[in-house]
Amino acid sequence: MTDDDATARRLADRLARLVRLPTVTPDDGPLGPEDARVFADLRTLLTELYPRTFAAAEVDVVGRAGLLLRIAGTGGPELHGATALGPVVLMAHQDVVPAPRGDAGEDWVGAGWSYEPFAGVVAEGDDAAAGELTVHGRGTLDDKGALLVTLEAVEDLLAEGWRPHADLWLLLGADEEREGPSAEAAVALLAERGVEPAIVIDEGGAVVTGAFPGLRRPMAAVGVAEKGVVTLEIAIDGDPRRAAHASTPPRRGVVPALGRALDALERHPHPAVLDDVTVAMFDAVAPHVPPPLRWLLGRAGSLRGPLARVLQLLGGEIAAMVRTTTTATVLRGSSAANVIASRASAVVNMRVATSSTVAEATAHVERVVRGAVGPSRGSRRAGLTATVRVVSASEPTPASPLDDERWALVSAAVTHAYPDAVVAPYTMLAASDARHVARIGRAIYRFSPLRMSAAQRSSIHGVDENVAASSLVAGVRFYRHLLQG
Ligand SMILES: [Zn+2]
């Protein structure tokens, strides 16, 4: 058994212990006694596993069960001259999404899990890579794996006598899977104390395989920006005096008009644009893919227009990368089978491209809806009016720096942990806790230093979540390198 094997076994056993505490994201409102107990148990376990870290830190409880640890810096950053970094914030969340058992009476294996999701099983040899030690259970990837490797790295370094030059903050949210109020509270506390983080690391990308067409090497995808999120309501109102019994329908109803509006939205998508981050991603990947893709990606900066138009045709994640996406989710109309609605509405979920804004994206929808249900189509005569209302909105985040020592530090740490990975920045399609931090710091890198296959990525929030123990060893290396840098 090599040193790495022994470390992998130790980390796997520890992660299994974290998994066995089912810290499922609590419902909104005050913490119930059961939730309070399980989060308290997790805190006790973390204190037991990482005694030096908790002894060295000032610990604040933020929100309902979030933890904010501060390990004071020695104040010696000048040692490194003008390029020294300021405070570092490392984030990971303690809560996990539930693990539905599926239909009543179905056992876990029937529901698609190899092992019970909260049993915390360490298994050998059942992974694609034969003999690979694997930890199974809810939270192994999202996000207890990252929580573990962060604390392991800090604990190891403290044991070796290391101290951070600038303050090191560990922000361990307790309700990330429900908008993250504890992370929000922690950020408010940091803001109140005047903390301006030089660098923030949170979950997001990972070391992924098979994610980029033509790329044989694993890709360490580091999220450097997030798309915005807008919830819109499109409503078509009819003349209430004409609302009638279903036996005598009007010539133009609100439901077909809503249908025309939604159809038009699908036929008139937002313009495709290649943002700077995606160009930077292509630049990073280009040398590692075969021609002619290499040639094309290497010139992405000067081929933005045509490339964006081609990529949008590919659909899925690639298409979502190059524009604001729009999709209807909730539909409302009549509540009875024989009553004609006088109002029909659709909730539309938009993910706003980083090159756009909430206002611009909303204006596009208004234009398209007006074109489909406008006065020119006889809607006025039929007494139909269309309205587009913004229910909630958050702007896309600015991109974190890619041209200074902070990106260089993150890249170097990734390469140290995963020498064969191609490090590439990318724009996150989904929203994360890190957006709360965007108000106090600009250099936010969303990256879990764990290897994830396509199957493992889809197990996040799904079934059979698991992580390779060797990847935990590499994850600790990532954080050690980062902190020592
Ligand atoms: Zn997560």
Side-chain angles (χ1 to χ4, degrees):
M1 200 185 235
T2 67
D3 278 1
D4 271 2
D5 290 342
T7 309
R9 166 59 73 176
R10 186 172 53 84
L11 297 182
D13 289 339
R14 288 183 161 197
L15 179 56
R17 292 180 70 185
L18 302 190
V19 169
R20 281 178 214 134
L21 293 171
T23 45
V24 174
T25 317
D27 288 335
D28 296 341
L31 222 51
E34 187 52 32
D35 285 334
R37 190 189 57 77
V38 74
F39 277 95
D41 285 352
L42 180 60
R43 180 177 171 177
T44 305
L45 177 58
L46 293 176
T47 316
E48 178 197 319
L49 294 177
Y50 307 107
R52 287 189 183 85
T53 306
F54 278 81
E58 297 159 24
V59 183
D60 276 298
V61 176
V62 283
R64 296 174 299 173
L67 295 173
L68 181 64
L69 279 67
R70 170 181 176 251
I71 299 176
T74 53
E78 298 77 13
L79 292 174
H80 297 296
T83 59
L85 289 176
V88 172
V89 178
L90 305 181
M91 296 172 67
H93 59 91
Q94 310 168 61
D95 60 312
V96 297
V97 292
R101 200 189 283 256
D103 300 333
E106 202 172 42
D107 62 9
W108 293 114
V109 175
W113 290 85
S114 302
Y115 303 94
E116 274 201 33
F118 295 108
V121 172
V122 180
E124 206 163 335
D126 53 25
D127 193 70
E132 176 89 276
L133 200 63
T134 305
V135 192
H136 290 262
R138 175 60 85 221
T140 47
L141 293 173
D142 182 18
D143 188 29
K144 285 179 174 169
L147 177 71
L148 176 101
V149 298
T150 305
L151 287 166
E152 288 286 338
V154 174
E155 185 77 7
D156 282 359
L157 287 170
L158 289 173
E160 291 161 18
W162 168 91
R163 294 292 177 275
H165 293 306
D167 285 358
L168 170 64
W169 298 86
L170 304 178
L171 197 177
L172 313 178
D175 32 31
E176 188 276 341
E177 304 291 358
R178 269 177 180 266
E179 309 271 301
S182 58
E184 231 178 321
V187 170
L189 195 62
L190 290 173
E192 196 183 296
R193 294 183 186 169
V195 178
E196 287 173 19
I199 188 165
V200 179
I201 309 283
D202 191 15
E203 65 177 340
V207 182
V208 296
T209 41
F212 202 96
L215 182 64
R216 292 230 169 150
R217 286 167 56 175
M219 174 165 127
V222 181
V224 297
E226 278 177 45
K227 289 176 94 173
V229 188
V230 182
T231 304
L232 293 175
E233 187 199 53
I234 300 175
I236 312 291
D237 285 285
D239 183 343
R241 289 164 303 174
R242 297 191 207 189
H245 194 272
S247 60
T248 54
R251 215 166 60 80
R252 285 172 180 275
V254 293
V255 172
L258 180 64
R260 283 198 298 281
L262 296 179
D263 180 53
L265 274 180
E266 199 174 81
R267 283 183 293 107
H268 301 280
H270 295 259
V273 182
L274 218 54
D275 65 18
D276 292 345
V277 171
T278 308
V279 169
M281 176 174 95
F282 289 166
D283 272 345
V285 170
H288 309 285
V289 295
L293 198 55
R294 178 186 303 171
W295 179 86
L296 190 65
L297 297 181
R299 285 160 184 77
S302 50
L303 293 172
R304 285 179 195 243
L307 203 51
R309 284 193 288 281
V310 172
L311 293 174
Q312 67 177 350
L313 299 175
L314 297 178
E317 285 187 339
I318 297 272
M321 262 169 24
V322 296
R323 71 159 155 244
T324 298
T325 58
T326 303
T327 187
T329 53
V330 183
L331 293 175
R332 290 193 190 91
S334 167
S335 53
N338 57 357
V339 173
I340 296 177
S342 61
R343 159 176 263 237
S345 67
V347 172
V348 167
N349 190 277
M350 265 199 309
R351 300 302 168 113
V352 184
T354 55
S355 54
S356 184
T357 60
V358 169
E360 190 178 85
T362 307
H364 173 88
V365 172
E366 279 170 345
R367 227 170 17 247
V368 172
V369 170
R370 238 183 293 121
V373 198
S376 57
R377 302 289 186 99
S379 300
R380 185 176 291 163
R381 237 180 323 122
L384 299 181
T385 53
T387 48
V388 176
R389 184 171 68 88
V390 177
V391 179
S392 65
S394 68
E395 296 285 353
T397 68
S400 309
L402 287 173
D403 55 359
D404 69 9
E405 75 277 12
R406 292 172 291 191
W407 172 252
L409 178 62
V410 173
S411 308
V414 175
T415 304
H416 177 73
Y418 295 95
D420 60 334
V422 175
V423 187
Y426 82 110
T427 296
M428 277 184 51
L429 305 178
S432 83
D433 247 4
R435 73 190 183 286
H436 300 306
V437 198
R439 75 185 179 95
I440 54 169
R442 258 203 73 212
I444 304 168
Y445 302 99
R446 300 153 182 91
F447 176 69
S448 301
L450 301 174
R451 228 179 322 115
M452 299 187 195
S453 65
Q456 283 168 325
R457 275 188 295 148
S458 61
S459 76
I460 293 174
H461 293 209
V463 299
D464 220 15
E465 195 174 339
N466 69 84
V467 67
S470 61
S471 180
L472 299 172
V473 178
V476 176
R477 263 192 218 122
F478 167 82
Y479 278 113
R480 283 184 59 110
H481 196 88
L482 187 89
L483 290 169
Q484 286 176 308

